[in-house]
Amino acid sequence: MPPKTKQHRHLPAFVLLLLAEGEKHGGAILTELSQRLPGCGPDSAALYRTLQQLEEAGEAVSTWDTSGSGPARRVYRITDAGRERLGFWRDEIEMRLANLKYF
């Protein structure tokens, strides 16, 4: 099995992309990233640091979900600023893809 590669530079972009699909709690984000980015999924500490940074930047907000049985879970959703930032990431990644295709 090849070693896991780190995608921390683009982790905020991937998290915002998932949140653009709908609100999610941290565990669900971690699971989806691991499924959608095999071999590149982040560890939980990196994910929660990224979520905190997105909140501090105003690109995501969270609320506590106490509706289910068990402990309360923090649920995250993207903001308008997050959608704007996601557009920046899209442009950057498209440019990188064009450069890689040249290679």
Side-chain angles (χ1 to χ4, degrees):
M1 175 185 248
K4 268 189 159 183
T5 57
K6 301 288 182 181
Q7 294 294 323
H8 296 286
R9 173 171 162 57
H10 293 104
L11 184 55
F14 291 124
V15 171
L16 288 173
L17 189 60
L18 285 176
L19 293 178
E21 296 174 356
E23 61 181 35
K24 294 174 176 44
H25 63 84
I29 295 169
L30 189 62
T31 298
E32 287 193 44
L33 286 173
S34 297
Q35 291 171 348
R36 294 183 186 196
L37 303 169
C40 298
D43 59 54
S44 60
L47 173 63
Y48 285 103
R49 278 192 307 271
T50 299
L51 286 167
Q52 183 178 11
Q53 291 165 355
L54 291 172
E55 279 197 285
E56 289 170 0
E59 296 169 358
V61 293
S62 67
T63 56
W64 286 100
D65 178 10
T66 58
S67 62
S69 62
R73 295 193 286 188
R74 185 173 266 190
V75 176
Y76 297 87
R77 67 178 170 80
I78 194 169
T79 64
D80 289 340
R83 289 185 192 285
E84 187 175 322
R85 184 70 168 169
L86 189 55
F88 162 81
W89 281 110
R90 182 195 62 236
D91 294 345
E92 181 179 319
I93 290 170
E94 286 175 352
M95 180 207 50
R96 288 179 180 274
L97 281 171
N99 291 341
L100 288 171
K101 285 180 184 178
Y102 167 72
F103 180 76

